[in-house]
Amino acid sequence: MNYEQIEEFLHKETPSETWHILHPGKISPAYSNIPICKIGDQQAYYFDFKNTLLNNNMALIKETRYTIIPPHFHKDMEMNYIYEGSCRFTINGRNIFLKKGDICILESNAVHSAEYKGVNDIVINVVFRRSFFINHFFSQVPNQGIVMHFLMDSLLQEHENNKFLIFHTSEREQFHTAFQNLVCTYFNRDQLCRELLDAYIRIVFLELLNTIYDNVLSDYSDYNDRDNDCVFQILNYIEKNCSHCTLIQTAHFFGYNPNYMSNFLKKKTGN
C-alpha cells in the first residue's frame, strides 16, 4: 500500500459510516455490547482492547465519521492523530479543538468524547499499553543536555496533572511522513510487519521529541505553565555558554537579580 492508496483507503466510506449516514443522530448499535462503568462522578463506556493487543504492541483504528463518540475511557493508552481536517474533543471536562497535524496522547482512564466529524475529518487512533509508551517514548530521551531534561520533567508533570498531552506537528512534514509509513505498514500486514511497526512507532515518537524541542517557545499545550518559556531560554543560554558563563553574568543578561534567578530556576527545575 503506497501513500496514494492509503489516502483512498482512509477516505473510503466504511460500513459503520454508511450506517450513521442512514441513521443521523444515533449512536452505533455496537455500543450495546460495551459496558458502562462509573469513573469519578460520571458514567462512561469502557473500552478494553485486551483481545486486540493480545499479540500486538499496538492497534490502529480510523475513527468513525458522521457521528459523535460518547464519553468513554480505555484500559490502555491512546494516541489520536488528526490526519486531515479537524475535530473537537472533550477530555476530562476540558474542551479541546485539534486540527490537521495535531496529536493528543491520552492516559488510560482519561474520560473523553468527540464531536461530529465530516467527510474530510480523518482521525487515526493508535492504542497501546502504558508500558509500551514508556519504553518507546521516554526511554528515547537523550541522556544529556539540561534543556531536554527540563522539557521532559515539564512534560511528565503535565501528563500527570492533565492525563493527556497535546503536540502540534503541522509544521513538521517529517512527522506526517513517519505516521503515513506507520499506517501503510499496519494495514499492509507485510512479512515483517511487527518489526516494521516497532521501528516506525519509534520514529514517530522521536519526531514528537523533536517537535517538543523545536517548538517549546510556542504554546505546545493549551495548559502549559507560561514560566516554562522563560526557564527554557535561560537553560538554553546556560547550555550554550556553560564553559564561561556565571550566575551573575547570566542574571545580568536576562535582566534578573542573581538571587531571584537562582531561586526561580530551583523552583521550576527542582535543582
Side-chain angles (χ1 to χ4, degrees):
M1 187 179 288
N2 56 35
Y3 294 158
E4 184 177 340
Q5 290 171 326
I6 202 64
E7 292 290 329
E8 182 180 350
F9 171 77
L10 292 176
H11 285 85
K12 184 178 180 181
E13 191 177 292
T14 66
S16 177
E17 290 173 338
T18 301
W19 187 92
H20 283 292
I21 291 173
L22 297 174
H23 302 85
K26 295 184 178 180
I27 65 171
S28 171
Y31 280 96
S32 62
N33 298 317
I34 300 173
I36 297 178
C37 300
K38 184 175 182 180
I39 178 167
D41 58 354
Q42 63 180 309
Q43 301 282 333
Y45 289 97
Y46 173 64
F47 285 83
D48 185 351
F49 294 96
K50 179 175 61 175
N51 294 329
T52 305
L53 297 176
L54 186 62
N55 298 310
N56 300 286
N57 289 325
M58 73 185 82
L60 270 68
I61 305 162
K62 188 191 86 167
E63 207 164 87
T64 303
R65 296 169 293 178
Y66 314 119
T67 183
I68 66 165
I69 298 180
H72 64 285
F73 64 102
H74 301 169
K75 176 183 178 182
D76 300 292
M77 293 186 67
E78 178 184 31
M79 178 169 68
N80 294 333
Y81 178 51
I82 313 302
Y83 189 92
E84 185 178 318
S86 62
C87 187
R88 189 174 297 277
F89 298 86
T90 300
I91 307 173
N92 287 338
R94 292 175 170 172
N95 293 318
I96 309 292
F97 178 76
L98 301 179
K99 61 184 184 301
K100 181 179 179 179
D102 290 344
I103 283 274
C104 179
I105 298 180
L106 293 153
E107 180 61 270
S108 58
N109 296 331
V111 178
H112 55 290
S113 60
E115 293 187 7
Y116 183 95
K117 289 182 290 297
V119 62
N120 293 318
D121 299 324
I122 308 295
V123 179
I124 308 295
N125 298 336
V126 184
V127 181
F128 41 75
R129 293 187 179 88
R130 194 174 195 277
S131 58
F132 180 82
F133 176 68
I134 298 298
N135 290 336
H136 286 68
F137 185 74
F138 287 109
S139 66
Q140 299 193 94
V141 177
N143 291 320
Q144 57 185 358
I146 57 176
V147 173
M148 184 56 80
H149 285 168
F150 167 71
L151 294 179
M152 289 303 101
D153 286 343
S154 298
L155 202 64
L156 283 167
Q157 182 177 358
E158 180 191 344
H159 182 60
E160 179 64 27
N161 292 340
N162 298 326
K163 304 303 180 186
F164 65 91
L165 296 171
I166 292 176
F167 306 87
H168 305 296
T169 72
S170 59
E171 301 300 320
R172 195 170 188 85
E173 186 62 31
Q174 303 97 310
F175 179 86
H176 187 70
T177 301
F179 203 93
Q180 281 183 311
N181 288 331
L182 182 71
V183 174
C184 288
T185 301
Y186 183 84
F187 290 108
N188 255 349
R189 291 297 171 182
D190 292 329
Q191 184 68 27
L192 297 176
C193 177
R194 186 182 180 90
E195 290 77 11
L196 286 168
L197 285 174
D198 192 70
Y200 282 131
I201 196 66
R202 288 181 181 274
I203 294 173
V204 165
F205 285 152
L206 282 171
E207 287 293 346
L208 282 182
L209 289 173
N210 268 331
T211 300
I212 299 167
Y213 196 89
D214 291 346
N215 299 325
V216 68
L217 294 181
S218 67
D219 190 16
Y220 65 84
S221 170
D222 291 340
Y223 308 102
N224 197 29
D225 189 338
R226 301 297 177 177
D227 285 344
N228 285 354
D229 289 351
C230 180
V231 176
F232 175 80
Q233 293 181 53
I234 296 173
L235 294 181
N236 196 41
Y237 177 86
I238 294 172
E239 189 167 291
K240 290 180 177 178
N241 301 279
C242 61
S243 62
H244 59 271
C245 71
T246 64
L247 172 63
I248 294 175
Q249 179 189 30
T250 304
H252 177 73
F253 181 84
F254 287 97
Y256 288 122
N257 175 279
N259 288 334
Y260 171 83
M261 192 185 78
S262 176
N263 291 331
F264 175 69
L265 288 177
K266 287 179 181 178
K267 178 181 177 182
K268 297 302 296 181
T269 67
N271 297 309

